[in-house]
Amino acid sequence: MNFALILFVLLVASGVLWALDHFVASKRRAVGAKSPWWVEYGASFFPVILVVFCLRSFVVEPFKIPSGSMIPTLLVGDFILVNKWTYGIRLPVINKKVIAVNEPKRGDVMVFRFPGDPSLDYIKRVVGLPGDKVEYLDKKLTINGKAMPQQPAGDYLHADRLYYSPRFIEKLGEVEHNIIVENEAPAFVSQITQYPFRENCTYTSRGVSCTVPAGHYFMMGDNRDGSFDSRGWGFVPEANIVGKAFFIWFNFSDLKRIGSFH
């Protein structure tokens, strides 16, 4: 369901009713006369819908984390806020950028429209920028020939299934963040689809090596062996960017989750 489109339709419909009442119907009503039902249930909602639409389209948008691909940074059930303007001002519904602001940085947690089905929103971490050569071989990340720093950080407890995964602190650009890597999982990419610029990637038993095309980004989940990401479905076009995730505002299972994250 395209909520942005539904909200836009409601905005237009209520706006038309508001304009009819404000410029036409209200001038014909007797002083003190009760407003008709279409004003009470239509035009009166226009200011509220307008504020919600503007906030959601240009400032912040809420999302709920549906999967464990970003564990341990983000957990299933986290409600997060996404900054809609930091990567540029975009027209609602069609998502076309009209004002450039900043470009995504390596290490950002970004929400985007899934290239394989733009009706779906995905969230991953920006690993490769346009022109980068990204290699994930033997579960080690290398960018442009330089290994990304990675330090052991103890084990991570999956509370829902009561088992531990090796946790590491990885540094991408200026961002230090936690990742988990399953030692027993195979190094090769098990799920690969056909995607644009597929020729930019080479798959082996050790993993994958890709050169990021211009105007695209290479995304990976922090749960390295539990994430279906650019390793399997390719690159994210700039046109698919939704915004930068920056704050957990609620989690029904754990109120201590509320706060900012890296």
Side-chain angles (χ1 to χ4, degrees), residues 6 20 23 37 41 57 60 68 72 80 86 99 101 112 156 166 175 179 202 221 232 234 237 244 252:
I6 293 174
L20 286 174
F23 295 107
W37 66 268
Y41 295 100
S57 299
V60 294
I80 65 170
T86 190
I99 301 176
V101 180
F112 54 93
Y156 174 79
V175 178
I179 63 172
T202 301
K244 179 181 179 180
F252 284 102

Side-chain angles (χ1 to χ4, degrees), residues 112-122 193 228-229 233 236-237 240:
F112 54 93
R113 295 179 178 180
F114 178 48
D117 182 357
S119 67
L120 300 176
D121 290 322
Y122 270 32
T193 66
F228 182 45
D229 50 38
W233 46 251
V236 175
N240 286 43

Side-chain angles (χ1 to χ4, degrees), residues 65 67-76 78 80 109 123 222 245 247-248 257 261:
I65 302 300
S67 73
S69 69
M70 284 297 291
I71 293 173
T73 305
L74 296 171
L75 307 183
V76 176
D78 281 345
I80 65 170
V109 177
I123 182 167
D222 291 346
F247 192 83
I248 301 170
R257 295 282 303 159
F261 60 89

Side-chain angles (χ1 to χ4, degrees), residues 136 138-140 150 152 154-156 158 163-168 179-188 223-226:
Y136 192 70
D138 300 322
K139 302 191 179 183
K140 301 294 183 181
Q150 189 182 102
D155 290 332
Y156 174 79
H158 298 264
Y163 78 94
Y164 290 89
S165 295
R167 180 173 58 180
F168 300 86
I179 63 172
I180 57 176
V181 179
E182 304 291 349
N183 292 326
E184 297 180 357
F188 64 85
N223 184 358
R224 291 293 163 81
D225 294 294

Side-chain angles (χ1 to χ4, degrees), residues 160-174:
D160 56 338
R161 287 175 284 180
L162 297 178
Y163 78 94
Y164 290 89
S165 295
R167 180 173 58 180
F168 300 86
I169 297 176
E170 182 181 75
K171 187 173 183 180
L172 289 175
E174 299 300 319

Side-chain angles (χ1 to χ4, degrees), residues 56-133:
R56 188 182 185 277
S57 299
F58 304 112
V59 185
V60 294
E61 183 174 356
F63 283 89
K64 181 182 179 182
I65 302 300
S67 73
S69 69
M70 284 297 291
I71 293 173
T73 305
L74 296 171
L75 307 183
V76 176
D78 281 345
F79 289 86
I80 65 170
L81 293 178
V82 175
N83 186 322
K84 295 296 294 286
W85 54 265
T86 190
Y87 296 143
I89 306 300
R90 297 172 184 269
L91 295 178
V93 182
I94 62 175
N95 207 45
K96 180 178 176 58
K97 184 162 68 174
V98 292
I99 301 176
V101 180
N102 301 305
E103 299 296 331
K105 297 179 180 179
R106 192 175 291 115
D108 287 355
V109 177
M110 189 168 78
V111 173
F112 54 93
R113 295 179 178 180
F114 178 48
D117 182 357
S119 67
L120 300 176
D121 290 322
Y122 270 32
I123 182 167
K124 308 288 181 187
R125 192 176 296 276
V126 179
V127 171
L129 306 177
D132 281 348
K133 183 177 181 180

